[in-house]
Amino acid sequence: MSDHDANARFVRETTVEPAPIARARAHAVELGAAPVSPAVGAQLSVLAAATGARSIVEIGTGAGVSGLWLLRGAPQAVLTTIDNEPEHLAAARQAFSDAKVPPARARFITGRAADVLPRMNEGSYDIVLVDADAENVIDYVAHGLRRVRTGGLVLVPRVLAG
């Protein structure tokens, strides 16, 4: 076993996913949404905590898995999540409610990110998470770079996925 394989195995076996996030993951799989892995979720949480994020935009809601991880790391942040699938947004709303996330900490926008993002304020978000349709990821990153504040992060968790 290579060092990389051993490290990957260690991360998979030691990352503890909180019950509300595990339930959201199960629902995401039922819906056919591909949630971030527990290890990636934990990394999102650490990044949100390290930046002291207060305002986060998520492009691609899934069923709320990545949003819950982000809010776990940034307990004072407000998350705006965008998805064109009402069923995914409804699943995320339920997951956030189950996780006892106060309603004021999450905004759910139904629509195509390409239509919504240009109307959002520039330079006003600490983190922009791009986890949506691969064919538009470059456009979403470009929008994200304009929406994120100086020193903020634009995160693309599936950038290396093949």
Side-chain angles (χ1 to χ4, degrees), residues 80 82 109-120 147:
T80 300
I82 305 164
I109 299 176
T110 304
R112 290 177 2 100
D115 297 332
V116 174
L117 289 167
R119 298 191 313 253
M120 298 180 86
R147 302 302 170 264

Side-chain angles (χ1 to χ4, degrees), residues 18-100:
I21 299 176
R23 285 191 298 274
R25 173 178 307 290
H27 199 181
V29 171
E30 288 172 11
L31 289 174
V36 297
S37 70
V40 169
Q43 290 173 347
L44 294 175
S45 189
V46 167
L47 290 168
T51 61
R54 308 283 276 177
S55 186
I56 302 169
V57 172
E58 175 185 42
I59 303 164
T61 304
V65 174
S66 53
L68 287 171
W69 276 113
L70 287 162
L71 291 176
R72 182 174 174 80
Q76 302 305 314
V78 173
L79 173 76
T80 300
T81 186
I82 305 164
D83 204 300
N84 64 349
E85 295 286 341
E87 188 176 17
H88 291 187
L89 287 164
R93 268 192 191 93
Q94 186 60 54
F96 283 36
S97 176
D98 292 348
K100 306 213 180 329

Side-chain angles (χ1 to χ4, degrees), residues 128-153:
V128 176
L129 177 71
V130 178
D131 191 20
D133 52 310
E135 63 271 7
N136 292 311
V137 74
I138 298 299
D139 291 336
Y140 296 154
V141 168
H143 280 296
L145 290 170
R146 289 189 295 276
R147 302 302 170 264
V148 75
R149 69 167 172 77
T150 301
L153 301 173

